[in-house]
Amino acid sequence: VQLVESGGGLVQAGGSLRLSCAATGTVFGINNMAWYRQAPGKQRELVAVVTRGGITNYADSVKGRFTISRDNAKNTVVLQMNSLKADDTAVYYCHVYRGTEDYWGQGTQVTVSS
């Protein structure tokens, strides 16, 4: 499975960004799709996850501001980020599970200026 992310960039606090991730290759059997992020000097953390059936879960820090969604037919996952804060600045990674294996995207930088 290969994951290609897009949509990162620089935005002012209060603004919005939309991250997309497309899975290619052997995509049959992909289950959970998620977004993680890693800020400088911090551990990578889960931002949001969506199951194949559409059940979602979010980190407390992004609840009410971020929305994760997926298109099973296209094998894509999107993270809509609204009301961005400086603390949201990080490299965002797409992550998927397929069976017992997991896969990571290359990461996309999100920078929120205050």
Side-chain angles (χ1 to χ4, degrees), residues 75-97:
N75 296 299
T76 57
V77 60
V78 170
L79 185 68
Q80 177 66 43
M81 304 185 293
N82 299 326
S83 302
L84 283 160
K85 306 175 181 179
D87 286 348
D88 295 319
T89 295
V91 177
Y92 284 70
Y93 297 91
C94 179
H95 176 266
V96 304
Y97 271 108

Side-chain angles (χ1 to χ4, degrees), residues 58-67 80-83 85:
Y58 297 91
D60 288 343
S61 59
V62 306
K63 282 181 180 177
R65 300 187 298 122
F66 291 11
T67 301
Q80 177 66 43
M81 304 185 293
N82 299 326
S83 302
K85 306 175 181 179

Side-chain angles (χ1 to χ4, degrees), residues 11-85:
V11 65
Q12 288 188 333
S16 299
L17 281 175
R18 182 180 175 90
L19 304 183
S20 297
C21 174
T24 61
T26 307
V27 298
F28 177 81
I30 286 179
N31 193 351
N32 288 6
M33 303 183 82
W35 287 94
Y36 285 73
R37 67 186 181 187
Q38 187 166 18
K42 295 186 177 181
Q43 290 188 333
R44 192 172 296 188
E45 62 174 358
L46 176 66
V47 176
V49 59
V50 57
T51 69
R52 187 167 185 83
I55 298 173
T56 59
N57 196 22
Y58 297 91
D60 288 343
S61 59
V62 306
K63 282 181 180 177
R65 300 187 298 122
F66 291 11
T67 301
I68 190 170
S69 60
R70 66 188 285 173
D71 184 328
N72 290 332
K74 296 180 179 179
N75 296 299
T76 57
V77 60
V78 170
L79 185 68
Q80 177 66 43
M81 304 185 293
N82 299 326
S83 302
L84 283 160
K85 306 175 181 179

